[in-house]
Amino acid sequence: YHADRFPGQSMRASTLKGLIIHTADDIGVPGPDYRYGWGLMNTRAAAEVIALQADHAEFHTLTEGRLTSAEGSDTHSFHWNGTDPIRVTLCWTDPAGPSTTAHDSRTPRLVNDLNLRVTGPDGATYLPFVMPYVGDWSNGQLQAAAVTGINTVDNVEQVLIAAPPQWGLYTVTIDHAGSLTNDEQDYSLII
């Protein structure tokens, strides 16, 4: 469908992955979890996002960008419609990390640590989901709902504002912690 709507253009792997996660129907505890992941794939919703981008490019629903060491952050702004929840998903194909032969290694393998945050018109900052098991390796955490915060272990980050408190201009900021391998990182953003 993407090829039909955007002839001659190919979708990045990170865009496809981000789109599937972004449009999944949440099941289980709210947000990503260890039982259902990001939820149940919703192909129709994914196609609707592609159609929205094709029909209204000015909305920047699907954005493929790049951070570099010289320009370490990007911002994207959008007006909230006053009705729907706000969901922003960032995904990137991380460079290969160090290999391991250890069983059940809990050492993070993320190479390029991108960060996502959304700032509302009132200045409030919204952070992405973080799985509760990270850092607290107890079995009880496997059933817990995701929390929000700084995610340092995943190459997918998602901010969900279920009931945005204010109509107006929201700003998405993407930056990185530490250095970037090869001084750059491509990313995909779905709003």
Side-chain angles (χ1 to χ4, degrees):
Y1 184 63
H2 184 272
D4 288 346
R5 296 305 308 263
F6 299 95
Q9 296 181 31
S10 298
M11 184 185 294
R12 287 182 184 163
S14 60
T15 304
L16 178 58
K17 180 179 178 177
L19 181 62
I20 291 170
I21 288 169
H22 185 85
T23 57
D25 293 331
D26 194 11
I27 55 177
V29 298
D33 61 64
Y34 293 107
R35 175 174 258 172
Y36 299 105
W38 288 96
L40 183 63
M41 185 173 157
N42 185 332
T43 306
R44 178 184 211 132
E48 289 170 352
V49 169
I50 292 169
L52 182 63
Q53 179 64 34
D55 295 339
H56 301 282
E58 71 275 10
F59 290 165
H60 303 285
T61 306
L62 289 171
T63 301
E64 293 179 339
R66 174 179 290 153
L67 292 182
T68 66
S69 295
E71 295 182 26
S73 70
D74 280 345
T75 59
H76 305 269
S77 297
F78 64 95
H79 284 278
W80 177 55
N81 66 11
T83 306
D84 298 322
I86 294 173
R87 184 182 311 269
V88 179
T89 305
L90 172 67
C91 186
W92 66 99
T93 302
D94 202 47
S99 64
T100 183
T101 56
H103 175 68
D104 197 24
S105 173
R106 295 176 178 157
T107 303
R109 298 285 187 236
L110 193 63
V111 175
N112 288 341
D113 183 9
L114 302 190
N115 296 306
L116 172 68
R117 70 181 175 277
V118 177
T119 305
D122 59 354
T125 299
Y126 302 91
L127 297 174
F129 288 115
V130 178
M131 298 302 286
Y133 194 63
V134 176
D136 179 356
W137 307 108
S138 65
N139 286 338
Q141 288 296 83
L142 292 174
Q143 303 302 320
V147 296
T148 59
I150 305 297
N151 186 331
T152 61
V153 297
D154 298 308
N155 68 332
V156 175
E157 296 194 3
Q158 185 180 88
V159 172
L160 173 63
I161 310 169
Q166 189 171 0
W167 183 90
L169 184 68
Y170 285 76
T171 302
V172 175
T173 303
I174 301 165
D175 59 18
H176 63 91
S179 61
L180 295 174
T181 298
N182 300 322
D183 294 322
E184 64 183 22
Q185 178 62 60
D186 292 334
Y187 67 84
S188 301
L189 181 69
I190 301 96
I191 301 173

